[in-house]
């Protein structure tokens, strides 16, 4: 089936008000924020996501970088993502709020199970072709398709891949009720901890429960353990090939022996409550090993196509800036396209976005590279 978005939608009342149309590839945090921001700027937006709509889990993210949000859209996205109150949130809670907002927006079409296979452009339009041989056409196309971006291959053919940084991060989120009462943190315990390890590095975060409750017994403990001793395993299991990260190490694929060694190491290195949270994750196989990659962009735009989020810039999570930079990308892009994107002005408008974001995007990745160079193997 071939689907021409623009010609199908000409009777849509929103299209009459709209500035034009955008295709967004990827419906994770960046794709959803970009879709919402572009809709606020008056565009009709189609978001294409390769996986299904089933909720996924993820790490704990710092959603308040301390950065001043200069535009109304940035303020709006920050409030939506953080629920207006918290500085750290589970990835899944942020994603749910953004997704609910996108689904409620009549200017946004959110399509799951739709993998973009190729992207093309000419002087008038840009279009994406999917694995079901559908074609989606728009005035601009935004690649929010993460660290292994398909869209980046077209925008930066000279530098299409992010590079493995030489370590992984084990991540999990545990209900505090799942660890012994004596190990649970008090209500006054710091929300962020970086306990000392022996050559390793742990970031522990106390966040609200899935229902938003911060009462004792209802909270969750997010932990992220930086580990540079698993590179042979990552290569053996195909998670990393040459210098390119292919996929995460999912719980069911982690060898039993690796889990035993991890539990032994944890017992020597980490204090409570993190030790019991980690041991519970290991016992229940509720953890993921994420190989870390980095990408310093040379450019963010080619013609009618632009990159946002991890597709555009990939810093080590230690910087705690990936999400925040994605939010600024979405807000800046919306400011630029609100002016006009039809006809030949699209490429000019996206170049303005690039000129506003490229320096910052490069800096955030570079700010984490000295850590990666000393820690990675
Ligand atoms: C362990 C960890 C901790 C982190 N902590 C922080 C933090 O504290 N603060 C912070 O600011 N940032 C943090 N980050 C970074 C942050 O999570 C990301 O920068 C942010 O979520 C933006 O990701 P994204 O949406 O650009 O990419 P992704 O989440 O990778 O999403 C890409 C999406 O595109 C889809 N896709 C890919 N290819 C295609 C295709 N061909 N067709 C259709 N869809 C496609 C994928 O299925 C996916 O849904 C952390 C990251 C990690 C790994």
């Amino acid at each position: 089936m071939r689907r021409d978005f623009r010609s199908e939608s000409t009777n849509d009342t929103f299209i009459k008000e709209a500035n034009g149309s955008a295709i967004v590839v990827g419906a994770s945090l960046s794709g959803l924020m970009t879709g919402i921001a572009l809709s606020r700027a008056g565009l009709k937006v189609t978001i294409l996501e390769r996986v299904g709509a089933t909720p996924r889990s993820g790490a704990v993210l710092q959603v308040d970088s301390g950065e001043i949000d200069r535009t109304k859209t940035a303020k709006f996205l920050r409030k939506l993502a953080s629920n207006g109150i918290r500085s750290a949130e589970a990835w899944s809670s942020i994603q749910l709020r953004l997704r609910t907002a996108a689904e409620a927006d009549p200017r946004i079409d959110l399509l799951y199970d739709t993998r973009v296979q190729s992207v093309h452009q000419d002087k008038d339009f840009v279009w994406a072709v999917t694995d079901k041989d559908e074609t989606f056409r728009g005035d601009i196309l935004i690649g929010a398709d993460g660290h292994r971006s398909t869209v980046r291959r077209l925008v930066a053919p000279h530098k299409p891949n992010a590079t493995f940084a030489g370590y992984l991060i084990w991540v999990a989120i545990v209900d505090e009720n799942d660890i012994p009462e004596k190990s649970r943190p008090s209500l006054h315990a710091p929300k962020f901890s970086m306990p000392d390890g022996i050559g390793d590095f742990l970031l522990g975060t106390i966040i609200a429960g899935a229902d938003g409750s911060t009462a004792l017994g209802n909270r969750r403990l997010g932990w992220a353990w930086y580990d540079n001793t698993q590179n042979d395993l990552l290569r053996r299991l195909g998670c990393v090939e040459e210098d390119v990260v292919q996929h995460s190490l999912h719980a069911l694929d982690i060898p039993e022996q690796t889990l035993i060694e991890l539990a032994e190491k944890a017992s020597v290195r980490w204090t409570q409550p993190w030790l019991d949270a980690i041991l519970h994750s290991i016992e229940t196989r509720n953890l993921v090993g994420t190989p870390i990659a980095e990408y310093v962009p040379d450019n963010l735009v080619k013609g009618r196509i632009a990159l946002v989020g991890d597709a555009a810039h990939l810093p080590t999570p230690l910087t705690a800036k990936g999400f925040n930079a994605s939010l600024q990308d979405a807000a800046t892009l919306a400011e630029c396209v609100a002016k006009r994107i039809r006809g030949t002005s699209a490429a000019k408008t996206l170049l303005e976005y690039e000129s506003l974001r490229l320096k910052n995007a490069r800096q955030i990745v570079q700010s984490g590279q000295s850590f990666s160079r000393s820690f990675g193997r």
Side-chain angles (χ1 to χ4, degrees), residues 25-31 33 48-51 56 59-63 91 114-117 144-151 169 171 203 224 226 290 292 308-311 313-326:
V25 184
S28 185
L29 305 189
S30 299
M33 285 193 289
L48 308 174
E49 168 56 52
R50 73 172 169 195
V51 300
R56 288 179 272 164
V60 169
L61 307 187
Q62 257 175 273
V63 286
W91 180 94
T114 307
R115 176 193 287 267
V116 169
Q117 274 185 327
D145 50 346
H147 70 100
R148 294 190 61 219
S149 172
T150 300
V151 180
I169 309 181
V171 291
L203 183 63
Y226 288 63
T290 305
I292 297 307
V308 294
D310 288 1
H313 39 69
L314 191 59
T316 170
L318 191 71
T319 61
K321 288 189 174 149
F323 167 79
N324 289 292
S326 309

Side-chain angles (χ1 to χ4, degrees), residues 31-52:
L32 290 169
M33 285 193 289
T34 302
I36 292 165
L38 293 178
S39 163
R40 282 169 62 88
L43 273 71
K44 186 84 176 79
V45 180
T46 303
I47 309 180
L48 308 174
E49 168 56 52
R50 73 172 169 195
V51 300

